[in-house]
PDB file of all heavy atoms in Angstrom:
ATOM      1  N   ARG A  31     -14.593 -28.035 -33.391  1.00 86.00           N
ATOM      2  CA  ARG A  31     -14.053 -26.704 -33.206  1.00 86.00           C
ATOM      3  C   ARG A  31     -13.493 -26.153 -34.535  1.00 86.00           C
ATOM      4  O   ARG A  31     -13.641 -25.002 -34.866  1.00 86.00           O
ATOM      5  CB  ARG A  31     -12.921 -26.732 -32.162  1.00 86.00           C
ATOM      6  CG  ARG A  31     -13.414 -26.937 -30.762  1.00 86.00           C
ATOM      7  CD  ARG A  31     -12.270 -27.037 -29.771  1.00 86.00           C
ATOM      8  NE  ARG A  31     -12.753 -27.187 -28.414  1.00 86.00           N
ATOM      9  CZ  ARG A  31     -11.964 -27.314 -27.338  1.00 86.00           C
ATOM     10  NH1 ARG A  31     -10.626 -27.334 -27.498  1.00 86.00           N
ATOM     11  NH2 ARG A  31     -12.476 -27.414 -26.106  1.00 86.00           N
ATOM     12  N   ILE A  32     -12.859 -27.059 -35.309  1.00 89.00           N
ATOM     13  CA  ILE A  32     -12.309 -26.637 -36.569  1.00 89.00           C
ATOM     14  C   ILE A  32     -13.430 -26.309 -37.575  1.00 89.00           C
ATOM     15  O   ILE A  32     -13.350 -25.324 -38.298  1.00 89.00           O
ATOM     16  CB  ILE A  32     -11.399 -27.745 -37.152  1.00 89.00           C
ATOM     17  CG1 ILE A  32     -10.144 -27.867 -36.296  1.00 89.00           C
ATOM     18  CG2 ILE A  32     -11.020 -27.450 -38.601  1.00 89.00           C
ATOM     19  CD1 ILE A  32      -9.221 -29.007 -36.687  1.00 89.00           C
ATOM     20  N   SER A  33     -14.472 -27.104 -37.563  1.00 87.00           N
ATOM     21  CA  SER A  33     -15.573 -26.875 -38.530  1.00 87.00           C
ATOM     22  C   SER A  33     -16.376 -25.637 -38.190  1.00 87.00           C
ATOM     23  O   SER A  33     -16.852 -24.913 -39.081  1.00 87.00           O
ATOM     24  CB  SER A  33     -16.504 -28.082 -38.581  1.00 87.00           C
ATOM     25  OG  SER A  33     -17.107 -28.324 -37.324  1.00 87.00           O
ATOM     26  N   THR A  34     -16.572 -25.342 -36.845  1.00 86.00           N
ATOM     27  CA  THR A  34     -17.366 -24.162 -36.438  1.00 86.00           C
ATOM     28  C   THR A  34     -16.513 -22.941 -36.221  1.00 86.00           C
ATOM     29  O   THR A  34     -16.998 -21.802 -36.238  1.00 86.00           O
ATOM     30  CB  THR A  34     -18.128 -24.447 -35.144  1.00 86.00           C
ATOM     31  OG1 THR A  34     -17.208 -24.734 -34.060  1.00 86.00           O
ATOM     32  CG2 THR A  34     -19.052 -25.671 -35.319  1.00 86.00           C
ATOM     33  N   GLY A  35     -15.212 -23.158 -35.978  1.00 88.00           N
ATOM     34  CA  GLY A  35     -14.320 -22.011 -35.693  1.00 88.00           C
ATOM     35  C   GLY A  35     -14.465 -21.555 -34.261  1.00 88.00           C
ATOM     36  O   GLY A  35     -13.904 -20.553 -33.865  1.00 88.00           O
ATOM     37  N   GLN A  36     -15.207 -22.290 -33.438  1.00 87.00           N
ATOM     38  CA  GLN A  36     -15.469 -21.895 -32.055  1.00 87.00           C
ATOM     39  C   GLN A  36     -15.086 -23.059 -31.109  1.00 87.00           C
ATOM     40  O   GLN A  36     -15.375 -24.220 -31.406  1.00 87.00           O
ATOM     41  CB  GLN A  36     -16.917 -21.553 -31.842  1.00 87.00           C
ATOM     42  CG  GLN A  36     -17.385 -20.325 -32.600  1.00 87.00           C
ATOM     43  CD  GLN A  36     -18.842 -20.003 -32.359  1.00 87.00           C
ATOM     44  OE1 GLN A  36     -19.649 -20.912 -32.073  1.00 87.00           O
ATOM     45  NE2 GLN A  36     -19.206 -18.751 -32.456  1.00 87.00           N
ATOM     46  N   ASP A 277     -13.927 -18.093 -29.571  1.00 89.00           N
ATOM     47  CA  ASP A 277     -13.275 -18.541 -30.793  1.00 89.00           C
ATOM     48  C   ASP A 277     -12.200 -19.568 -30.518  1.00 89.00           C
ATOM     49  O   ASP A 277     -11.500 -19.528 -29.514  1.00 89.00           O
ATOM     50  CB  ASP A 277     -12.666 -17.357 -31.534  1.00 89.00           C
ATOM     51  CG  ASP A 277     -13.723 -16.528 -32.243  1.00 89.00           C
ATOM     52  OD1 ASP A 277     -14.925 -16.869 -32.142  1.00 89.00           O
ATOM     53  OD2 ASP A 277     -13.372 -15.469 -32.836  1.00 89.00           O
ATOM     54  N   ALA A 278     -12.044 -20.519 -31.465  1.00 89.00           N
ATOM     55  CA  ALA A 278     -11.013 -21.544 -31.323  1.00 89.00           C
ATOM     56  C   ALA A 278      -9.666 -21.016 -31.892  1.00 89.00           C
ATOM     57  O   ALA A 278      -9.676 -20.222 -32.864  1.00 89.00           O
ATOM     58  CB  ALA A 278     -11.426 -22.776 -32.088  1.00 89.00           C
ATOM     59  N   MET A 280      -7.050 -21.774 -34.103  1.00 88.00           N
ATOM     60  CA  MET A 280      -6.956 -22.723 -35.199  1.00 88.00           C
ATOM     61  C   MET A 280      -5.570 -23.341 -35.281  1.00 88.00           C
ATOM     62  O   MET A 280      -5.412 -24.491 -35.724  1.00 88.00           O
ATOM     63  CB  MET A 280      -7.352 -22.040 -36.517  1.00 88.00           C
ATOM     64  CG  MET A 280      -8.796 -21.521 -36.528  1.00 88.00           C
ATOM     65  SD  MET A 280     -10.026 -22.737 -36.068  1.00 88.00           S
ATOM     66  CE  MET A 280     -10.050 -23.720 -37.536  1.00 88.00           C
TER      67      MET A 280
END
Side-chain angles (χ1 to χ4, degrees):
R31 289 177 178 178
I32 291 174
S33 63
T34 62
Q36 296 180 330
D277 285 359
M280 300 306 287

